[in-house]
Amino acid sequence: MIRAEAEIDRGAVRAVNTEAFETTAEADLVDALREGAQPVVSLVAEHDGRIVGHIMFSPVTLVGEPELKIMGLAPMAAASARQRKGLGVVATARAHVQG
């Protein structure tokens, strides 16, 4: 199931990003974007009550085009057991519908 991230998911989202990227850099980025960028679209993939994926879109500013409303995708992460199984495609499609 793909759904909006809830505050209670934050620890699991951090764990998924750290596992997927083998460093805390992306998890730190997610924390920073969550606190400093608005609006963000942050979705989690849940399977059997466990967070197995995460995707985030945040606002992007294009120099010289302040009227454009742009969202950038980053990061997108899946637990290692769920990688390369289409989870990112589903999450991205859902984010486009929601955003």
Side-chain angles (χ1 to χ4, degrees), residues 2-3 41 43-45 53-57 73 76-77 86-98:
I2 306 291
R3 62 171 175 78
V41 175
L43 303 176
V44 295
H54 174 254
I55 187 170
M56 179 177 271
F57 287 83
L73 182 156
M76 178 171 60
L87 181 61
V89 172
V90 172
T92 303
R94 175 68 187 270
H96 281 288
V97 170
Q98 180 174 334

Side-chain angles (χ1 to χ4, degrees), residues 2-93:
I2 306 291
R3 62 171 175 78
E5 176 192 359
E7 189 168 337
I8 196 168
D9 300 323
R10 289 183 177 188
V13 166
R14 185 169 183 81
V16 166
N17 277 283
T18 300
E19 177 186 349
F21 294 101
E22 300 177 348
T23 174
T24 63
E26 282 75 11
D28 294 342
L29 174 62
V30 168
D31 291 342
L33 289 170
R34 197 186 284 124
E35 296 303 318
Q38 292 298 324
V40 296
V41 175
S42 186
L43 303 176
V44 295
E46 185 177 357
H47 180 73
D48 290 337
R50 187 171 159 260
I51 303 301
V52 296
H54 174 254
I55 187 170
M56 179 177 271
F57 287 83
S58 59
V60 174
T61 302
L62 184 60
V63 175
E65 302 291 338
E67 71 284 351
L68 290 179
K69 305 292 183 198
I70 304 170
M71 299 289 279
L73 182 156
M76 178 171 60
S80 57
R82 306 293 280 185
Q83 292 176 359
R84 294 174 182 70
K85 297 187 190 291
L87 181 61
V89 172
V90 172
T92 303

